[in-house]
Each structure stands twice: as structure tokens, then as C-alpha cells.
Amino acid sequence: MKFKLTKPFTIWLLVVFVSCAVTAGIQLLTHSGEHLSTSLHQEPILKDPVPQGVQAPDPAAPPPMSRRIVEYHISVALQPDSKSLTGSQTLTWEHPGKLPIEELYLHLYPNAFESKKTTFFQESAGRLRQDEQKPGSFGNMTLQTVTTSDGHDLTARMEYVQPDDGNRDDRTLVKLSLPAPVLPGQKITLSMDFEVKLPQVFARMGYADDFYMAGQWFPKIAVYETEGMRGRSTEGWNIHQYHGNSEFYSDFGIYDVKIKVPSTYTVAATGFPTKSAVVQNETKTYRFYADDVHDFAWAASPHFQYYEEPFSAPNVPGVKIKLYLDPKHESLKGRYFQAAKKSLARFSEWYGTYPYSTLSIVVPPGNANGAGGMEYPTLITAWGAAEDTADLNLERVVVHEIGHQFFYGMVASNEFEEAWLDEGFTSYAEDKVMEQEYGVKPRLPLEAAYVTSPASLTINAWDYRDHSHYADNVYIRGKLVLMAIEQEAGPRTMQQIMKTYFQRWKFRHPSTKDFQNVVEDVTKKSWEDFFNQYVYGKQMIDYAVDNIRILPTDQDRYENEVLITRKGAQHHTVPIQFHFADGTKIDKLWDSQGSQIVFNLSHTSPLSWVVIDPDNNLILENKKINNFMNATIDTKWKVRWNTGVVKIIETFFGWVSW
């Protein structure tokens, strides 16, 4: 998901002001009824009906890209009058572990919206980014029946569980006790009926007038992690409720989905249509298929302006880009296509081939921004079309969400527990595209200063204090950590690190430690101290000019004494620049051994001012305010802020475009 900064402008202005002070001192095919695979090869048409729990055969198909743990066959109908979905699904799950399993767990995500007592509402206060719950608008999921393929009715065996906080009013996770254990390597098939009451669009799902967004809309089985996976010492279920900050985590598999909507509606969905939509009795039924993906989402509206363009590049053999536009942004269609093409080309060049033959972009209406800025396999949503015009945030959101096709879509990290592997990596990749394709350089000192309360990047998403604290760390600080690794390893080595990580872990579920291992394998050295401080730990860099003392001598010289203090994490070299009244400039490096150092400089003129890190190379330093001291003013705050009103104004107007 694309995070949008929401702190009050006064804080922004303060950060800008601080930054000024330091700076002064210093992304072949055509659309019809053809049948495209989500893989690179041509898939046959799925016969209707497909036997439940059986993958459509294709002798000519290459092997799967992922271990297809799950298979879903879903039929769903949109009920506009009641703003609800009625559905049935057959779910087949393969046991990947070594121990018998006596229960299954299903995520019922829509139940996060059923009251203000749910864990999601308790943690978010009904807010997500700048989007708020509409008063009195709630949603829920009712799992009506659950039966096994041999006829056992499990409905009465359902038990809502709350492993994270014990909140009995939270029904986002359900346990199904089985009549017989599932043995290692065996499969189990369940059939179920469900209904979803949609809220007014909020937090990735719901409706706004006649626009509908179905994200996290079906009963989804949890991930069973094997021994050794993501550092587990023993195998078991990875189960969490739906929290205010957390996103999602699921296994790769196959989706065969029928979607029935009113006949005037157009549907955008994960994967590709297996046949032309069938119109009957004022309804239209679409059928989509996707494999080697770990989620399925769709959107519907009678107002979508639909466009498509084919695209290929050296590492993109062929993809159909589909654009579902709100009419208000029809004139901007070229910008959406260009952003998608630039993103696909760059990410595939840097990390690895985009292996799907379709990518859909949904632009919600302006009053449905709760559905905007979100990623799903082969489908993304842009910001809502609230204005007739748009700045580069239009491109930035598209770039970010397409980045998630790689980090989350293929490298499927656990967004409950290690969200930075999703958001931090995508934010890093987003910045690279924005700089290379649009000339927009990241304002790293400003962004670092925004991290006012650093926290470990490996804690559960809901353990951050609030959404702002979560976003500051997971998005911004996570990205800065990657930038710092790049600075130390070098851009070419960093490119090799990122590509190796993607190639080693695509269609799998890595952990932070797995990424650290890649960094160390590529660079051939230990990064233990770095990861302990900035990734597993919550440290940032903080060096301060603490005191300047100037003493004249009898030889027409001045003894200039400067105290430099380390107040945060240790960096191996700290650049310091000393400026004298006669214009002389002296550069020194401190190896940062110990917590303090005193520099004694004998010179023919007195020291004028001192600045630490004049070129802003300490990427993870978040308190730039104490990097500068003017020797001629004694009052502490005047010392810190004295750089001149003109320079402040100049720098301010350089920042505001960001």
C-alpha cells in the first residue's frame, strides 16, 4: 500500500526549517475474448464447469513457478440493492509440513468492520491513512456452511479465535476442528457458502455509490509454516487477527473465480478472463483465472472507461496493461500507461522478469479513495480521481503499487510480522524509478528527520504505537536502511543484492534474516552490527557539536577546541567540517570510537562555525538540528538556528515541491 504522509503541516514546517539550517551550513496483445495466462505461456480455455478442486490440465504448460499450496474455485454475485456479496467457494489445501493437523484456520477479514469493538477499530479508531469510516457504516462476513468433500458438516465446529489480543468481539479469524487429521502431503477440500455485507468504502474494501471494491472479500486459509521457514524452530500455523496497521499474508496457489454483476457493470480483477462475459437476465458473469498468486481482488463499476495497451521490453516478454478509469481522469490515461510501462521495465531490469501477462490499474472515483493506493497480484488501485488534474503523485502511486508486484506479489513476505520487507523495499524501488524516469530525487535528510520515534523493523505491525508510527518506520525508516546499505556497499553491489534477494526468494516467503544472509553473501562480509542497530534494533545516527571554545594565544594564534558527541548509533566514519573567520576550511574524519572526541585546532584566526556531515551522507541521522554550531553566538538555540532568514526561505521553497 502507498502510504501518504498525514502529520500536521506544522511538523512538516519544523522539519523543513531544521533541514534548512543544516543545508545552509551546509513502464503485442489486443483485448477481445482471447485467453491469456497469468504465466508467460498461452493457457487453454477452462472448460465449464471445472471439476472442483482440480486444476485445469495443460500438458504444454511449463512447471508452476510456486508451490501451489491452495486452490480456490469461487462464485460470487454482487447485490447492489443490499450492498452485499453472496458467494460459494471450494477450497483445496495441501499440507506442506510433517505433523498431522487437526484444525484449519480461515481469515474472515470483512468482520473487521462489523462494530467499533473489533481489534481493527480499537487500534485504528476508524481511520486508515487520511480515510475515515463513514458514520454508521459497518460490514461483516457470515460463513454460512462449511462441509468437507466426504460430506462432513463443519459448520458447528467453527470457533472464532483471537490469538493476538483475546478480544472476544473480534471475529476476523476462525478455527475449524476437523473430524480426522490431515496427514503430511495430503490434501483436504472444503466447500463453503458465505455472505459479505459491504461497508461504505474504507480500508481497501466497500462501495461508494455504484463503485465497488472487493479486497480481502472471501474466506482465506491461513499460512501453515514448516520448520525452518522464516526461522521457525517448529512447524505451525501463522495466525493473526486483522489489525489496524497490518496487511496480509497467504500462500501461493490457483484461483478460478466467477463474478456476477449487473449487466451495465465492468469488472477488473486479478488474473485474466477465461472467456467473454456472459450477459443474461440483466446480469453479466465474468470468469477469471490466476495461478502462482497469493490473493485475488476485483472492482466493479458501470462508469469505468476501459483502455488497454500491450507492452514488452527486454525483461518483459509481453504484458497487456489494462486501465479502468474513473471518467474524471480520462484525459490522464496516457500518464497512467507511461507510469506502468516505466515501472515494469525498470523493476524487471533490476530484479527479475515480470512473469504475468496482465496488469490491471483501477482508478477509483474521488469519493472512494479508501480503495485507492493498494496492491493485489496483477491488479493495483491508484489514488481516487478527486481532481481533474494531478501532480506527480499520480505517477508515484502507480510506481509504488507496481513495485508491490515484486515485493509482496512475488517475494511474499509476512506483512503481519515483517511489514518493512514489503513497504520499505517497495518505497526504495519507487524512489529509484521516480529519480531515473521523472528526475525526482528523494529528500533523504528531510525524510530521516521525519522519523521522530524510531522502532525495530521486525516487530508485529500492530505493536507500533499508531499508524503514523508504523508508517514512519516501516515505509520511511525501512527505505532509509536500504539506502544506507547501498551507500556503504555501492550502487552496483546494491543492485546485485536486490536482484539476488528477488531471484532467491521469489514465490517463497522470506524473513529479514534471509535478506541479511543475501547481503552478507553478496558483499562477503558480516553485517551483524548494522542489522542489530538499525533493523532488529531501533537506533538512528545522532552526532552533535556540543561545544566550541576559542582561546587567543601570545603568538597571534587561536586555540580552537570543539567537542563532538555521539548520542545514537555508531557509524564507522563521521565527516566534520571546520570553518574559520579568514575563510579557511578544514575537513576531519572521526572513527566514532567512544562517545566523545575533542578536536583541538590551532589557527591564525578564530573558528567561525562547525558542521557535522556537511554533504548529508549520514542517511540514518534523524536529528540534523544539532549538527551545526556557530562559534560567535552563545545562546544555545540561536546557535542551532542561526543561518539567516534568506537562506531559510530559499531552502523552504526548494522543499515544498516534495
Side-chain angles (χ1 to χ4, degrees):
M1 174 183 284
K2 177 63 180 176
F3 167 61
K4 198 167 186 177
L5 300 176
T6 60
K7 285 185 175 177
F9 181 72
T10 52
I11 297 180
W12 270 104
L13 188 57
L14 174 62
V15 174
V16 169
F17 194 83
V18 171
S19 300
C20 295
V22 178
T23 305
I26 354 178
Q27 175 196 197
L28 300 178
L29 302 171
T30 59
H31 177 67
S32 62
E34 71 257 88
H35 314 290
L36 300 174
S37 169
T38 53
S39 302
L40 297 176
H41 60 281
Q42 188 89 356
E43 287 278 3
I45 301 174
L46 294 178
K47 302 303 180 182
D48 190 6
V50 175
Q52 296 294 293
V54 178
Q55 181 185 354
D58 183 8
M65 295 181 289
S66 67
R67 182 175 180 182
R68 298 173 177 176
I69 297 293
V70 293
E71 183 171 346
Y72 292 89
H73 294 268
I74 311 176
S75 293
V76 62
L78 171 63
Q79 311 292 347
D81 292 342
S82 60
K83 305 298 185 185
S84 64
L85 308 176
T86 56
S88 62
Q89 75 175 23
T90 299
L91 160 65
T92 298
W93 177 78
E94 180 182 355
H95 181 4
K98 298 180 179 179
L99 301 175
I101 291 177
E102 297 182 347
E103 68 279 325
L104 304 178
Y105 291 87
L106 298 175
H107 293 288
L108 309 185
Y109 289 117
N111 281 338
F113 311 116
E114 68 177 343
S115 80
K116 291 190 176 182
K117 296 181 180 180
T118 69
T119 294
F120 176 89
F121 269 95
Q122 290 292 305
E123 294 177 352
S124 69
R127 301 171 184 265
L128 186 64
R129 303 179 304 197
Q130 292 176 317
D131 191 44
E132 294 187 34
Q133 178 216 18
K134 308 302 185 292
S137 177
F138 295 97
N140 62 68
M141 172 181 280
T142 303
L143 190 52
Q144 298 162 323
T145 63
V146 183
T147 58
T148 66
S149 57
D150 54 4
H152 284 91
D153 187 347
L154 305 184
T155 310
R157 293 171 177 259
M158 294 191 302
E159 177 189 356
Y160 295 103
V161 294
Q162 303 82 21
D164 299 327
D165 64 2
N167 178 7
R168 303 299 295 179
D169 292 308
D170 189 89
R171 305 195 308 158
T172 57
L173 187 66
V174 67
K175 180 172 75 172
L176 292 174
S177 297
L178 301 175
V182 184
L183 300 179
Q186 286 187 343
K187 295 182 179 182
I188 183 172
T189 298
L190 303 176
S191 296
M192 55 193 77
D193 297 317
F194 63 94
E195 182 175 5
V196 177
K197 182 183 183 299
L198 297 168
Q200 292 187 58
V201 67
F202 169 63
R204 312 176 185 97
M205 75 172 299
Y207 69 91
D209 298 324
D210 47 10
F211 168 85
Y212 294 86
M213 184 72 218
Q216 309 303 327
W217 57 279
F218 59 95
K220 186 191 292 187
I221 194 164
V223 177
Y224 187 88
E225 296 183 327
T226 57
E227 181 182 350
M229 181 176 170
R230 299 182 54 257
R232 289 191 71 120
S233 58
T234 58
E235 63 181 81
W237 290 102
N238 188 277
I239 48 174
H240 297 294
Q241 299 154 241
Y242 192 177
H243 290 271
N245 290 330
S246 69
E247 293 188 15
F248 314 102
Y249 179 43
S250 48
D251 272 316
F252 289 95
I254 297 168
Y255 289 83
D256 172 27
V257 182
K258 293 180 183 179
I259 303 170
K260 182 185 289 188
V261 296
S263 59
T264 57
Y265 279 56
T266 299
V267 171
T270 293
F272 65 96
T274 62
K275 58 172 64 179
S276 298
V278 177
V279 179
Q280 185 178 20
N281 298 329
E282 298 184 347
T283 65
K284 186 188 295 183
T285 301
Y286 290 81
R287 188 166 189 173
F288 291 90
Y289 175 86
D291 53 28
D292 298 312
V293 299
H294 53 74
D295 200 359
F296 189 101
W298 57 279
S301 172
H303 306 299
F304 281 144
Q305 302 296 307
Y306 176 78
Y307 301 92
E308 65 176 52
E309 289 187 9
F311 176 66
S312 62
N315 295 283
V316 187
V319 59
K320 181 188 291 185
I321 302 174
K322 304 175 182 181
L323 182 58
Y324 300 82
L325 266 172
D326 178 82
K328 197 164 190 175
H329 272 193
E330 187 173 9
S331 64
L332 302 174
K333 63 183 179 183
R335 290 175 59 181
Y336 287 103
F337 278 119
Q338 283 301 309
K341 292 173 182 178
K342 291 176 184 292
S343 303
L344 285 173
R346 286 296 187 181
F347 295 145
S348 294
E349 173 192 353
W350 296 336
Y351 311 131
T353 299
Y354 179 78
Y356 309 110
S357 65
T358 185
L359 174 66
S360 295
I361 304 170
V362 174
V363 182
N367 63 343
N369 206 40
M374 187 59 192
E375 70 279 0
Y376 306 94
T378 77
L379 182 148
I380 67 167
T381 62
W383 281 145
E387 304 295 337
D388 296 320
T389 58
D391 59 18
L392 276 177
N393 273 326
L394 181 152
E395 284 81 2
R396 183 177 288 277
V397 173
V398 172
V399 171
H400 183 92
E401 306 310 339
I402 292 177
H404 278 304
Q405 300 300 309
F406 293 79
F407 300 108
Y408 148 88
M410 287 179 271
V411 179
S413 51
N414 185 332
E415 296 180 283
F416 290 121
E417 298 177 1
E418 298 178 281
W420 88 285
L421 292 177
D422 166 40
E423 299 296 356
F425 278 63
T426 301
S427 297
Y428 169 87
E430 165 204 325
D431 273 4
K432 294 296 183 183
V433 171
M434 292 305 295
E435 181 172 1
Q436 295 212 16
E437 296 294 342
Y438 296 98
V440 180
K441 293 186 177 182
R443 308 290 194 179
L444 299 181
L446 176 61
E447 295 181 62
Y450 204 80
V451 184
T452 57
S453 184
S456 168
L457 298 178
T458 57
I459 64 176
N460 297 326
W462 57 94
D463 286 333
Y464 292 98
R465 185 176 61 244
D466 51 32
H467 188 72
S468 179
H469 190 221
Y470 163 84
D472 290 352
N473 283 279
V474 166
Y475 289 76
I476 299 175
R477 188 166 167 277
K479 177 186 72 175
L480 294 173
V481 163
L482 295 176
M483 295 297 296
I485 295 174
E486 177 182 309
Q487 184 186 62
E488 185 162 333
R492 295 182 67 178
T493 300
M494 187 62 179
Q495 188 172 0
Q496 185 181 357
I497 288 170
M498 296 293 285
K499 190 165 190 174
T500 301
Y501 175 63
F502 177 82
Q503 294 293 339
R504 184 179 295 182
W505 288 102
K506 61 184 179 180
F507 302 108
R508 299 169 65 194
H509 305 293
S511 67
T512 297
K513 181 61 176 176
D514 294 320
F515 174 65
Q516 180 183 343
N517 290 341
V518 170
V519 175
E520 295 179 340
D521 289 348
V522 172
T523 60
K524 304 292 190 293
K525 71 172 189 178
S526 172
W527 285 74
E528 195 73 21
D529 289 343
F530 180 94
F531 275 74
N532 284 340
Q533 289 186 103
Y534 305 117
V535 180
Y536 308 118
K538 60 180 182 180
Q539 296 192 59
M540 294 287 278
I541 293 171
D542 182 16
Y543 290 95
V545 184
D546 262 356
N547 189 52
I548 297 175
R549 190 172 68 156
I550 304 172
L551 297 174
T553 68
D554 295 336
Q555 291 80 32
D556 295 326
R557 297 184 70 83
Y558 294 83
E559 297 297 329
N560 302 278
E561 183 181 278
V562 180
L563 174 64
I564 307 294
T565 303
R566 175 170 64 85
K567 302 186 176 198
Q570 184 175 20
H571 192 267
H572 48 79
T573 53
V574 183
I576 306 164
Q577 197 169 84
F578 304 86
H579 290 255
F580 294 85
D582 63 359
T584 302
K585 178 179 68 176
I586 296 177
D587 290 296
K588 297 279 187 179
L589 286 176
W590 177 28
D591 62 9
S592 191
Q593 297 300 309
S595 61
Q596 289 184 330
I597 187 171
V598 175
F599 286 92
N600 292 291
L601 299 98
S602 180
H603 197 69
T604 56
S605 67
L607 192 64
S608 180
W609 51 277
V610 179
V611 62
I612 299 172
D613 187 30
D615 297 321
N616 289 317
N617 289 322
L618 300 180
I619 292 173
L620 287 165
E621 183 164 38
N622 65 331
K623 296 180 180 178
K624 296 288 186 181
I625 188 173
N626 57 15
N627 279 23
F628 174 83
M629 182 173 280
N630 193 322
T632 60
I633 301 177
D634 295 328
T635 304
K636 177 181 178 181
W637 284 105
K638 288 184 178 179
V639 167
R640 300 301 191 198
W641 297 78
N642 182 39
T643 58
V645 174
V646 173
K647 195 64 182 178
I648 291 172
I649 294 173
E650 289 175 353
T651 309
F652 174 75
F653 282 104
W655 286 122
V656 291
S657 61
W658 187 82

